[in-house]
Coordinates of all heavy atoms in Angstrom, one line a residue:
K420 N -0.4 44.1 17.6 CA 1.0 44.6 17.5 C 1.2 45.2 18.9 O 0.5 46.0 19.3 CB 1.1 45.6 16.4 CG 2.4 46.4 16.4 CD 3.4 45.5 15.7 CE 4.9 46.1 15.5 NZ 5.8 45.3 15.1
R421 N 2.3 44.8 19.6 CA 2.9 45.4 20.8 C 3.3 46.9 20.6 O 4.0 47.1 19.6 CB 4.0 44.5 21.4 CG 3.5 43.1 21.9 CD 4.5 42.4 22.5 NE 4.4 41.0 22.8 CZ 3.8 40.5 23.9 NH1 3.3 41.4 24.7 NH2 3.5 39.2 24.0
N422 N 3.0 47.6 21.5 CA 3.5 49.0 21.6 C 3.2 49.7 20.2 O 3.9 50.7 19.9 CB 5.0 49.1 21.9 CG 5.3 48.4 23.1 OD1 4.6 48.4 24.1 ND2 6.4 47.5 23.0
A423 N 2.1 49.4 19.6 CA 1.7 50.2 18.4 C 0.1 50.0 18.2 O -0.4 49.0 18.6 CB 2.5 49.8 17.2
A424 N -0.4 51.0 17.4 CA -1.8 50.8 17.2 C -2.1 49.7 16.1 O -3.1 49.2 16.2 CB -2.1 52.2 16.6
A425 N -1.2 49.6 15.3 CA -1.4 48.4 14.3 C -0.1 47.9 13.5 O 1.0 48.6 13.9 CB -2.4 49.1 13.0
F426 N -0.2 47.0 12.8 CA 0.9 46.5 12.1 C 1.3 47.5 10.9 O 0.3 48.0 10.3 CB 0.7 45.0 11.5 CG 0.6 44.1 12.6 CD1 -0.6 43.6 13.1 CD2 1.7 43.5 13.2 CE1 -0.6 42.7 14.2 CE2 1.7 42.5 14.2 CZ 0.5 42.2 14.6
S427 N 2.6 47.6 10.6 CA 2.9 48.6 9.5 C 3.2 47.9 8.1 O 3.2 46.7 8.1 CB 4.2 49.2 9.9 OG 5.3 48.3 10.1
A428 N 3.6 48.7 7.2 CA 3.8 48.1 5.8 C 5.3 47.3 6.0 O 5.3 46.3 5.5 CB 4.0 49.2 4.9
D429 N 6.1 47.8 6.9 CA 7.4 47.0 7.0 C 7.1 45.6 7.7 O 7.7 44.6 7.2 CB 8.3 47.7 8.0 CG 9.0 48.9 7.3 OD1 8.9 49.0 6.0 OD2 9.5 49.9 7.9
D430 N 6.1 45.6 8.7 CA 5.7 44.3 9.2 C 5.0 43.3 8.0 O 5.4 42.2 8.0 CB 4.5 44.5 10.1 CG 5.1 45.2 11.5 OD1 6.3 45.0 11.9 OD2 4.4 46.0 12.1
E431 N 4.2 43.9 7.2 CA 3.8 43.1 6.1 C 4.9 42.5 5.2 O 4.8 41.2 5.0 CB 2.9 43.9 5.2 CG 1.7 44.5 5.8 CD 0.8 45.3 4.8 OE1 0.9 45.1 3.6 OE2 0.1 46.2 5.2
T432 N 6.0 43.1 5.0 CA 7.1 42.8 4.2 C 7.9 41.7 5.0 O 8.2 40.7 4.4 CB 8.0 43.8 3.8 OG1 7.3 44.8 3.1 CG2 9.3 43.4 3.0
L433 N 8.1 41.9 6.2 CA 8.8 40.9 7.2 C 7.9 39.7 7.3 O 8.5 38.6 7.1 CB 9.0 41.5 8.4 CG 9.8 40.7 9.4 CD1 11.3 40.5 8.8 CD2 9.9 41.3 10.8
L434 N 6.6 39.8 7.3 CA 5.7 38.6 7.5 C 5.7 37.8 6.3 O 5.8 36.5 6.3 CB 4.3 38.9 7.9 CG 3.5 37.7 8.2 CD1 4.1 36.8 9.3 CD2 2.0 38.2 8.6
R435 N 5.8 38.4 5.1 CA 5.7 37.7 3.8 C 7.0 36.9 3.7 O 7.0 35.7 3.4 CB 5.8 38.7 2.7 CG 5.6 38.1 1.2 CD 5.6 39.0 0.2 NE 4.7 40.0 0.1 CZ 3.5 39.9 -0.4 NH1 3.3 39.0 -1.3 NH2 2.6 41.0 -0.5
A436 N 8.2 37.4 4.2 CA 9.4 36.6 4.2 C 9.3 35.5 5.2 O 9.8 34.4 4.8 CB 10.6 37.6 4.5
F437 N 8.7 35.7 6.3 CA 8.8 34.8 7.4 C 7.9 33.6 6.8 O 8.1 32.4 7.1 CB 8.1 35.3 8.6 CG 8.1 34.3 9.8 CD1 9.0 34.2 10.7 CD2 6.9 33.5 9.9 CE1 8.9 33.5 11.8 CE2 6.8 32.6 10.9 CZ 7.8 32.6 11.9
A438 N 6.7 34.0 6.2 CA 5.7 33.0 5.8 C 6.3 32.1 4.8 O 6.0 30.9 4.7 CB 4.6 33.7 5.3
S439 N 7.2 32.7 3.9 CA 7.9 32.0 2.8 C 8.8 30.8 3.4 O 8.6 29.7 2.9 CB 8.6 32.9 2.0 OG 9.4 32.2 0.9
I440 N 9.5 31.2 4.4 CA 10.4 30.4 5.1 C 9.6 29.2 5.8 O 9.9 28.0 5.6 CB 11.3 31.0 6.2 CG1 12.3 31.9 5.4 CG2 12.2 29.9 6.9 CD1 13.0 32.8 6.2
A441 N 8.6 29.6 6.5 CA 7.7 28.7 7.4 C 6.9 27.8 6.4 O 6.9 26.5 6.7 CB 6.7 29.5 8.2
G442 N 6.4 28.3 5.3 CA 5.5 27.4 4.4 C 6.4 26.2 3.7 O 6.0 25.1 3.7
V443 N 7.7 26.6 3.3 CA 8.6 25.6 2.8 C 8.9 24.6 3.9 O 9.0 23.4 3.6 CB 9.9 26.2 2.1 CG1 10.9 25.1 1.8 CG2 9.4 27.1 1.0
A444 N 9.2 25.0 5.2 CA 9.5 24.1 6.3 C 8.4 23.1 6.4 O 8.6 22.0 6.8 CB 9.8 24.9 7.5
I445 N 7.2 23.6 6.6 CA 5.9 22.8 6.8 C 5.8 21.8 5.8 O 5.6 20.6 5.8 CB 4.8 23.7 6.9 CG1 4.8 24.4 8.2 CG2 3.5 22.7 7.0 CD1 3.7 25.4 8.4
D446 N 6.0 22.2 4.5 CA 5.9 21.4 3.4 C 7.0 20.2 3.4 O 6.6 19.1 3.1 CB 5.9 22.2 2.0 CG 5.6 21.1 0.9 OD1 4.5 20.6 0.8 OD2 6.4 21.2 -0.2
R447 N 8.0 20.6 3.7 CA 9.2 19.6 3.9 C 8.8 18.4 4.9 O 9.1 17.3 4.7 CB 10.5 20.3 4.4 CG 11.6 19.4 4.3 CD 12.9 20.1 5.0 NE 12.7 20.3 6.4 CZ 12.8 21.5 6.9 NH1 13.1 22.6 6.2 NH2 12.7 21.6 8.2
T448 N 8.2 18.9 6.0 CA 7.9 17.9 7.1 C 6.8 16.9 6.5 O 6.8 15.7 6.7 CB 7.4 18.5 8.3 OG1 6.1 19.2 8.0 CG2 8.4 19.5 9.0
H449 N 5.8 17.5 5.6 CA 4.9 16.7 5.0 C 5.6 15.6 4.1 O 5.2 14.4 4.0 CB 4.0 17.5 4.3 CG 3.0 18.2 5.0 ND1 2.3 19.4 4.6 CD2 2.6 18.2 6.3 CE1 1.6 19.8 5.5 NE2 1.7 19.1 6.6
L450 N 6.6 16.1 3.3 CA 7.3 15.3 2.4 C 8.0 14.2 3.1 O 8.1 13.0 2.8 CB 8.3 16.1 1.6 CG 7.6 17.0 0.5 CD1 8.7 17.9 -0.2 CD2 6.7 16.3 -0.6
V451 N 8.7 14.6 4.2 CA 9.4 13.6 5.1 C 8.4 12.6 5.7 O 8.8 11.3 5.7 CB 10.2 14.3 6.2 CG1 10.7 13.3 7.2 CG2 11.3 15.2 5.7
A452 N 7.3 13.0 6.1 CA 6.3 12.1 6.8 C 5.8 11.0 5.8 O 5.6 9.9 6.1 CB 5.2 12.8 7.4
R453 N 5.6 11.6 4.4 CA 5.0 10.6 3.4 C 6.1 9.8 3.0 O 5.9 8.5 2.8 CB 4.6 11.5 2.2 CG 3.4 12.2 2.3 CD 2.7 12.6 1.0 NE 3.5 13.6 0.4 CZ 3.2 14.9 0.6 NH1 2.2 15.4 1.5 NH2 4.0 15.9 0.0
A454 N 7.3 10.2 3.0 CA 8.6 9.3 2.7 C 8.6 8.2 3.8 O 8.9 7.0 3.5 CB 9.8 10.1 2.5
L455 N 8.6 8.6 5.0 CA 8.7 7.6 6.1 C 7.6 6.6 6.2 O 7.6 5.4 6.3 CB 8.7 8.3 7.5 CG 10.0 9.2 7.8 CD1 9.9 9.9 9.1 CD2 11.3 8.2 7.8
E456 N 6.3 7.2 5.8 CA 5.1 6.3 5.8 C 5.4 5.3 4.6 O 5.1 4.1 4.8 CB 3.8 7.1 5.7 CG 2.6 6.2 5.4 CD 2.3 5.5 6.7 OE1 2.8 5.8 7.8 OE2 1.5 4.4 6.7
S457 N 5.9 5.8 3.5 CA 6.0 4.9 2.3 C 7.0 3.8 2.7 O 7.0 2.5 2.3 CB 6.5 5.7 1.1 OG 6.8 4.8 0.0
Q458 N 8.1 4.3 3.4 CA 9.2 3.3 3.8 C 8.6 2.3 4.8 O 8.8 1.0 4.6 CB 10.3 4.1 4.5 CG 11.5 3.2 4.9 CD 12.6 4.0 5.6 OE1 12.6 5.1 5.5 NE2 13.5 3.3 6.2
R459 N 7.7 2.7 5.8 CA 7.2 1.7 6.6 C 6.1 0.7 5.9 O 6.2 -0.4 6.2 CB 6.2 2.5 7.6 CG 7.1 3.2 8.8 CD 6.2 3.6 10.0 NE 5.5 4.7 9.6 CZ 5.9 6.0 9.8 NH1 6.9 6.3 10.3 NH2 5.1 6.9 9.5
I460 N 5.5 1.3 4.9 CA 4.6 0.5 4.2 C 5.5 -0.6 3.4 O 5.1 -1.9 3.3 CB 3.8 1.1 3.1 CG1 2.8 2.1 3.9 CG2 3.0 0.3 2.2 CD1 1.9 3.0 3.1
E461 N 6.6 -0.1 2.7 CA 7.4 -1.0 2.0 C 8.1 -2.1 2.9 O 8.0 -3.3 2.5 CB 8.6 -0.3 1.4 CG 8.0 0.6 0.2 CD 9.1 1.5 -0.5 OE1 10.3 1.3 -0.1 OE2 8.9 2.2 -1.4
E462 N 8.4 -1.7 4.1 CA 8.9 -2.6 5.0 C 7.9 -3.8 5.4 O 8.2 -4.9 5.6 CB 9.6 -1.9 6.3 CG 10.8 -1.2 6.0 CD 11.3 -0.4 7.1 OE1 10.6 -0.2 8.2 OE2 12.4 0.2 7.2
S463 N 6.7 -3.2 5.7 CA 5.6 -4.1 6.0 C 5.3 -5.0 4.9 O 5.0 -6.3 5.2 CB 4.4 -3.3 6.3 OG 4.6 -2.5 7.6
L464 N 5.4 -4.5 3.7 CA 5.0 -5.4 2.6 C 6.3 -6.5 2.4 O 6.1 -7.7 2.1 CB 4.9 -4.6 1.2 CG 3.5 -3.9 1.2 CD1 3.6 -3.0 0.0 CD2 2.4 -4.8 1.1
R465 N 7.5 -6.0 2.5 CA 8.6 -7.0 2.5 C 8.4 -8.0 3.7 O 8.7 -9.3 3.3 CB 10.0 -6.2 2.7 CG 10.4 -5.6 1.4 CD 11.8 -5.1 1.6 NE 12.1 -4.2 2.6 CZ 12.0 -2.8 2.2 NH1 11.8 -2.4 1.1 NH2 12.4 -1.9 3.3
L466 N 8.1 -7.7 4.8 CA 7.8 -8.7 5.8 C 6.7 -9.6 5.5 O 6.8 -10.8 5.7 CB 7.6 -7.9 7.2 CG 7.3 -8.8 8.4 CD1 8.4 -9.7 8.7 CD2 6.9 -7.8 9.6
A467 N 5.6 -9.0 4.8 CA 4.5 -9.8 4.5 C 4.8 -10.8 3.4 O 4.4 -12.0 3.4 CB 3.3 -9.0 4.1
H468 N 5.7 -10.4 2.5 CA 6.2 -11.2 1.5 C 7.1 -12.4 2.0 O 6.9 -13.5 1.7 CB 7.0 -10.3 0.5 CG 7.8 -11.2 -0.6 ND1 9.0 -11.7 -0.3 CD2 7.4 -11.6 -1.7 CE1 9.4 -12.3 -1.4 NE2 8.5 -12.3 -2.2
D469 N 7.9 -12.0 3.0 CA 8.7 -13.1 3.6 C 8.0 -14.0 4.3 O 8.2 -15.3 4.2 CB 9.8 -12.4 4.5 CG 10.9 -11.6 3.8 OD1 11.0 -11.6 2.6 OD2 11.5 -10.6 4.5
I470 N 6.9 -13.6 5.1 CA 6.0 -14.6 5.7 C 5.3 -15.3 4.8 O 5.2 -16.7 4.9 CB 5.1 -13.7 6.7 CG1 5.9 -13.0 7.7 CG2 4.0 -14.6 7.3 CD1 5.0 -12.1 8.6
Q471 N 4.7 -14.8 3.6 CA 4.1 -15.6 2.7 C 4.9 -16.6 2.1 O 4.6 -17.8 1.9 CB 3.5 -14.5 1.6 CG 2.5 -15.3 0.7 CD 1.9 -14.3 -0.3 OE1 2.6 -13.3 -0.5 NE2 0.9 -14.7 -1.0
M472 N 6.1 -16.2 1.7 CA 7.0 -17.2 1.1 C 7.4 -18.4 1.9 O 7.7 -19.5 1.5 CB 8.3 -16.4 0.5 CG 7.8 -15.4 -0.6 SD 6.8 -16.0 -2.0 CE 8.1 -16.9 -2.9
D473 N 7.5 -17.9 3.2 CA 8.0 -19.0 4.3 C 6.8 -19.9 4.4 O 7.2 -21.1 5.0 CB 8.2 -18.2 5.5 CG 9.6 -17.5 5.6 OD1 10.5 -17.7 4.6 OD2 9.9 -16.7 6.5
M474 N 5.6 -19.6 4.1 CA 4.6 -20.6 4.2 C 4.6 -21.8 3.1 O 4.0 -22.9 3.3 CB 3.3 -19.9 4.1 CG 2.9 -19.0 5.3 SD 1.1 -18.3 5.1 CE 0.3 -19.9 5.5
L475 N 5.3 -21.4 2.0 CA 5.4 -22.3 0.9 C 6.4 -23.4 1.2 O 7.4 -23.2 1.9 CB 5.7 -21.6 -0.3 CG 4.8 -20.5 -0.8 CD1 5.4 -19.8 -1.9 CD2 3.4 -20.9 -1.1
T476 N 6.1 -24.7 0.7 CA 7.1 -25.8 0.8 C 8.4 -25.4 0.1 O 8.5 -24.9 -1.0 CB 6.4 -27.0 0.0 OG1 5.2 -27.3 0.7 CG2 7.4 -28.3 0.2
R477 N 9.4 -25.8 0.9 CA 10.8 -25.5 0.4 C 11.5 -26.9 0.2 O 12.5 -27.0 -0.6 CB 11.6 -24.5 1.3 CG 11.3 -23.2 1.1 CD 11.7 -22.6 -0.1 NE 11.4 -21.2 -0.3 CZ 10.3 -20.7 -1.0 NH1 9.4 -21.7 -1.3 NH2 10.0 -19.4 -1.0

Side-chain angles (χ1 to χ4, degrees):
K420 177 71 174 180
R421 293 183 187 275
N422 304 317
F426 292 97
S427 66
D429 288 343
D430 290 325
E431 293 179 28
T432 302
L433 186 62
L434 182 59
R435 191 189 290 269
F437 182 96
S439 176
I440 297 169
V443 171
I445 292 172
D446 188 50
R447 186 187 67 239
T448 66
H449 290 159
L450 294 174
V451 170
R453 285 196 291 269
L455 292 174
E456 180 62 22
S457 176
Q458 182 179 348
R459 282 192 290 269
I460 292 172
E461 288 178 6
E462 290 174 353
S463 296
L464 288 174
R465 280 196 294 270
L466 178 59
H468 172 268
D469 293 343
I470 292 172
Q471 186 178 21
M472 299 306 287
D473 286 345
M474 292 185 68
L475 303 175
T476 299
R477 285 291 180 268

